[in-house]
Amino acid sequence: MPPAYRPRRRLRRLLALATDTWLARVYLAVVAAALAFFLGAWYAGPDPGLAGFYPFLATAPLGALAFLASLPAEQSSLTWLAPTVFAVGTAAAGLCNAALLGSLTRVPAAKRAFPKEGQ
């Protein structure tokens, strides 16, 4: 198996996209703060209310998948599992969105580094 196709290297490359640019780091900090608020309100507060709205909004559109994944746990007898599934799904959605932001941030820099032939 060539070194470029190893799973660890792919994961490392994806995490590098999600953490190498300042925009992606700030986005990850916003997602982490929203998740901390949600988990604090869920486990420490008397009524979590709409605390899940903030991580959902911060990770939209992929955050909807985390919400949909936590619905079966909410409707069954495993209600304690729903916030954990939502938090893990939201963290994964935040990493994917941060990797997308990181790759989109690198595109203008690459265009400046390698101008077209006629310029």
Side-chain angles (χ1 to χ4, degrees):
M1 187 180 271
Y5 295 110
R6 292 185 183 156
R8 279 188 183 165
R9 207 168 265 191
R10 272 191 238 159
L11 180 64
R12 188 175 296 155
R13 197 173 289 159
L14 178 68
L15 289 176
L17 279 175
T19 57
D20 277 354
T21 62
W22 282 105
L23 182 64
R25 288 178 190 166
V26 168
Y27 175 75
L28 283 176
V30 168
V31 170
L35 271 176
F37 176 75
F38 165 70
L39 291 173
W42 187 272
Y43 288 114
D47 182 26
L50 293 174
F53 178 71
Y54 299 116
F56 176 79
L57 187 64
T59 59
L62 290 178
L65 295 176
F67 174 71
L68 292 175
S70 67
L71 280 180
E74 185 70 36
Q75 303 302 326
S76 69
S77 62
L78 302 173
T79 57
W80 59 271
L81 189 60
T84 307
V85 170
F86 181 70
V88 169
T90 302
L95 275 174
C96 289
N97 286 344
L100 179 66
L101 279 174
S103 64
L104 290 176
T105 305
R106 289 180 180 193
V107 169
K111 285 185 178 181
R112 279 193 308 258
F114 300 106
K116 291 185 180 179
E117 291 283 326
Q119 295 178 351

